[in-house]
Amino acid sequence: SALPGKKMIFKGLTVNKEDMNKLMLTPLIDYPLLGGSALITFEEAKVAQRIIEMGEHTVELSCGEELEELDRCRVRVQAVPVEILLPSALEVRLTQSSRSILVSELPNLGISKEALLDKLELFFSKTKNGGSEVESREFLDDSGQVVLTFTQDGVAEQLIEKGHIQVLIGKGKYEVKISPFMSGDITNLQLQPSRCPRTVLLLGIPDVLSEESMRDALEIHFQKASRGGGEVDALAYVPAGRTGVAVFVEDRG
């Protein structure tokens, strides 16, 4: 399947030759949820496994005023495991840009990103500061760093050799760090299915209650030990006719 593009900044110092080709990945996975389904995460993996093994569950609903004809009603839902694809092997080819620099250790001036980019472009576009005409600039939200790309070759290399430079921003001078800007292409990516140990997918949920009432009913049912459940950590429900997206992160529990 197609993978989304993601810009990353790699920081750190390689001290052992054996570590040079190792990269730690932290999963952040968007999981589509169709209408009439729910994701429920338990505090203990053994509870999730027990719920999956039971398969079908009859959930009792307290209908109240929403269904006046019945004092009680029940719905049947299916519990199935959640399987997602995780990277098992990744190869990235890195190339250094000949016209771009990475500007870091930027001062916190309390101004907007665009204003900061304007001031940096103004400074680095001047030849007396070692720069030239700036072709593009970009603020990297994840790292708070800036990428500047020049129209001429050789400018980036000379700035990188300096390492640090005093930048005039407004009425103040601030020392910033200049580093090479590396671009990467994924040359090989291998994925393997992985089952979420604490999360269960519930299917076939009819649209008979409001979203909040159905969510409460599901959580009440599945937290009861007498029905095979246990303490619920999180629950996301999508009513019929709608879609949603759940985000899976690394399980540190």
Side-chain angles (χ1 to χ4, degrees):
S1 57
L3 293 173
K6 176 66 175 175
K7 292 186 177 181
M8 296 180 288
I9 297 296
F10 294 93
K11 298 180 179 180
L13 176 65
T14 301
V15 294
N16 297 319
K17 184 178 180 181
E18 293 76 14
D19 297 332
M20 291 182 63
N21 295 319
K22 293 181 180 179
L23 176 65
M24 298 300 296
L25 295 178
T26 301
L28 183 65
I29 299 173
D30 293 343
Y31 187 88
L33 274 179
L34 300 179
S37 66
L39 282 176
I40 182 168
T41 300
F42 296 95
E43 290 190 355
E44 297 183 0
K46 63 180 181 181
V47 176
Q49 182 60 35
R50 184 164 62 238
I51 292 297
I52 292 171
E53 290 175 353
M54 294 172 66
E56 187 176 85
H57 297 263
T58 301
V59 180
E60 188 174 87
L61 308 179
S62 298
C63 302
E65 298 178 356
E66 298 186 42
L67 293 176
E68 297 178 358
E69 298 83 0
L70 299 174
D71 293 328
R72 294 284 183 181
C73 62
R74 296 174 175 83
V75 296
R76 292 182 178 180
V77 300
Q78 295 291 327
V80 298
V82 177
E83 290 193 345
I84 55 180
L85 293 176
L86 292 178
S88 59
L90 173 65
E91 294 180 9
V92 179
R93 181 180 64 246
L94 295 176
T95 56
Q96 181 176 335
S97 173
S98 61
R99 292 187 178 182
S100 299
I101 61 172
L102 184 68
V103 185
S104 58
E105 299 180 6
L106 294 166
N108 184 11
L109 302 178
I111 60 177
S112 68
K113 298 174 185 177
E114 283 301 315
L116 177 60
L117 289 173
D118 287 341
K119 294 182 182 297
L120 290 173
E121 180 177 352
L122 183 61
F123 178 87
F124 283 102
S125 63
K126 296 179 179 179
T127 55
K128 68 177 183 179
N129 297 328
S132 73
E133 181 182 348
V134 175
E135 182 179 89
S136 64
R137 77 268 179 93
E138 181 181 5
F139 188 90
L140 304 178
D141 289 311
D142 290 349
S143 62
Q145 300 172 349
V146 171
V147 178
L148 296 177
T149 301
F150 301 98
T151 58
Q152 299 179 14
D153 290 323
V155 178
E157 183 179 354
Q158 294 177 7
L159 289 171
I160 292 169
E161 289 178 356
K162 294 181 179 180
H164 288 79
I165 188 172
Q166 290 279 340
V167 176
L168 181 64
I169 301 179
K171 296 182 180 180
K173 281 190 175 182
Y174 306 91
E175 185 175 274
V176 300
K177 183 179 180 181
I178 309 297
S179 306
F181 178 68
M182 310 295 292
S183 59
D185 296 313
I186 296 177
T187 57
N188 181 34
L189 175 63
Q190 298 177 20
L191 302 172
Q192 65 178 11
S194 177
R195 177 176 293 190
C196 296
R198 298 190 298 121
T199 301
V200 176
L201 176 61
L202 304 177
L203 300 173
I205 305 173
D207 189 16
V208 294
L209 292 179
S210 68
E211 183 176 348
E212 182 178 358
S213 297
M214 181 61 77
R215 187 166 51 243
D216 290 343
L218 291 171
E219 185 167 352
I220 289 172
H221 176 90
F222 285 101
Q223 72 179 4
K224 292 183 177 180
S226 60
R227 293 168 178 171
E231 201 67 35
V232 175
D233 190 19
L235 189 148
Y237 163 61
V238 179
R242 292 168 53 185
T243 58
V245 176
V247 179
F248 284 88
V249 297
E250 185 178 8
D251 190 355
R252 299 181 181 273

